[in-house]
Amino acid sequence: MATTGPYRTKISGTGSYLPEKILTNADLEKMVDTNDAWIVERTGIRERRIAPEGEATSDLALVAAQRALAAAGLTAQDLDAIIVATVSPDQPTPSTACVLQRKLGARTIMGFDLAAACSGFVYGLSVADQFIRSGMYKHVLVVGAEVLHRYVNYKERETCILFGDGAGAVIASRSDDDSAILSSHLHTDGGLGDLFILAAGGSAMPFSEKVLEGGHHYLRMKGREIFKNAVRTMSHCSQEALDANGMTIDQVDWLIPHQANLRIIDAVGSHFGIPPEKVIVNVQNYGNTSAATVPIALDEAVRDGRIKRGQNVLLTVFGAGLTSGSMMMRY
């Protein structure tokens, strides 16, 4: 969907937060039948962050949001809406966005959670873009935040090596210069929904003793099929963004892919022939933080000076559902 209408959206500030506790591959060797070499070869992940007991998704989101507001030169009172992308909310209701609104001390503005798994941040930023383009809002806080380790079975080596906790945030604001979200492209293929699932906790499978005995409260995935479809969907969405803007990959300054697996990232980059030095990668440090991976990577690259104003940045994601998407922006 290319941008139209009287207004455009820019990223006026970014922020992120990672818990202090580090879970290394060496730590996992003591918990499950695996080893560092096996994990690195298959995923590229060396460590991930783990939220301490008592720290919820809203707590991670709060710090990331405060840092994004500070970077934008704004306060919580300037916000018109809050969107939290997460599949690990504080609780089913009220939403984590409502909790975050209270913790931030924001006005009684619109706030809601968005569940699109690892694609959630790009979905949420696209929604924020629509509100701003329409003229309805001027500043929207978009957060991707997860405490995923509490849904991981640390006796199942295929999944427990992948996931970590973290939060990333941006302030989407009405643009007053050349910075703008140029287009977004979002997809869902529910026919592949069984490839990655957290079965229990909803109306289809409420929590019960049987659920706990069967381990249905843990994340389950079919890794080989996920890998294949991740490369396919992220490549497709990225090409959509290039075509919509009449651009070639050479005109993209930075690619920020969902940080699920280094082999997936490398495969998508190879598909387009984009130089590895133009791809933002931090999966080795944090693992897969689901909806938080892209905003964390964006924030790190902005703060260390790699991403500069006026550069073309392409975001591409996929997640359970299966969801997928891309976004082209002139940062």
Side-chain angles (χ1 to χ4, degrees):
M1 180 187 301
T3 57
T4 58
Y7 300 110
R8 295 182 302 171
T9 305
K10 68 182 290 184
I11 304 300
S12 60
T14 67
S16 60
Y17 173 71
L18 284 305
E20 291 185 8
K21 181 180 178 181
I22 297 174
L23 181 68
T24 67
N25 290 348
D27 295 326
L28 286 171
E29 289 177 1
K30 303 170 186 175
M31 302 165 64
V32 68
D33 180 20
T34 191
N35 60 73
D36 176 70
W38 188 88
I39 297 172
V40 172
E41 178 187 352
R42 285 161 177 77
T43 70
I45 300 169
R46 298 183 180 276
E47 57 187 41
R48 62 292 288 151
R49 301 298 181 92
I50 301 296
E53 185 176 352
E55 191 164 78
T57 296
S58 65
D59 296 312
L60 277 62
L62 175 63
V63 181
Q66 290 171 332
R67 291 173 177 173
L69 283 166
L74 300 172
T75 72
Q77 292 296 307
D78 296 311
L79 294 175
D80 299 307
I82 298 172
I83 301 172
V84 177
T86 186
V87 291
S88 53
D90 285 23
Q91 63 274 313
T93 193
S95 72
T96 301
C98 290
V99 178
L100 181 58
Q101 179 269 339
R102 173 179 59 81
K103 290 182 176 180
L104 277 171
R107 296 175 292 115
T108 54
I109 54 177
M110 182 190 76
F112 65 91
D113 289 0
L114 187 155
C118 303
S119 303
F121 174 76
V122 170
Y123 269 54
L125 187 51
S126 179
V127 172
D129 181 37
Q130 312 310 309
F131 281 124
I132 291 169
R133 288 199 295 122
S134 72
M136 186 172 181
Y137 296 139
K138 288 185 68 176
H139 302 291
V140 180
L141 168 64
V142 183
V143 184
E146 306 282 9
V147 179
L148 279 178
H149 89 270
R150 295 186 182 134
Y151 301 87
V152 170
N153 182 356
Y154 284 97
K155 297 180 180 179
E156 206 290 292
R157 72 172 188 169
E158 295 291 337
T159 54
C160 76
I161 64 173
L162 298 174
F163 298 102
D165 306 333
V170 302
I171 308 300
S173 299
R174 186 180 298 176
S175 182
D176 55 3
D177 53 33
D178 289 337
S179 296
I181 291 174
L182 303 177
S183 68
S184 57
H185 314 272
L186 309 174
H187 301 278
T188 299
D189 186 352
L192 297 172
D194 65 339
L195 298 185
F196 199 136
I197 189 168
L198 178 60
S203 60
M205 188 183 292
F207 278 119
S208 66
E209 187 175 337
K210 185 177 180 180
V211 162
L212 296 176
E213 289 173 352
H216 300 295
H217 57 301
Y218 291 129
L219 291 164
R220 292 182 174 178
M221 62 180 289
K222 298 178 181 178
R224 185 172 299 177
E225 291 87 348
I226 286 287
F227 183 100
K228 178 178 66 176
N229 283 284
V231 175
R232 177 183 61 82
T233 56
M234 290 171 76
S235 297
H236 171 75
C237 292
S238 297
Q239 189 62 53
E240 269 192 304
L242 292 173
D243 293 344
N245 293 283
M247 297 170 62
T248 66
I249 195 64
D250 294 337
Q251 294 172 285
V252 175
D253 295 292
W254 296 104
L255 174 67
I256 305 182
H258 168 49
Q259 309 285 309
N261 180 310
L262 185 58
R263 291 168 61 207
I264 293 174
I265 294 170
D266 288 344
V268 174
S270 296
H271 176 83
F272 288 106
I274 188 170
E277 59 268 21
K278 293 173 69 173
V279 183
I280 306 295
V281 180
N282 62 13
V283 67
Q284 68 277 9
N285 299 324
Y286 309 131
N288 184 349
T289 56
S290 186
T293 69
V294 167
I296 290 172
L298 174 64
D299 178 54
E300 288 190 339
V302 167
R303 288 176 183 270
D304 67 23
R306 280 177 290 174
I307 294 180
K308 299 176 174 62
R309 287 295 179 188
Q311 292 183 328
N312 294 321
V313 180
L314 173 59
L315 316 179
T316 183
V317 292
F318 82 99
L322 289 178
T323 59
S324 59
S326 65
M327 177 176 285
M328 185 73 76
M329 70 172 72
R330 184 166 53 247
Y331 182 78

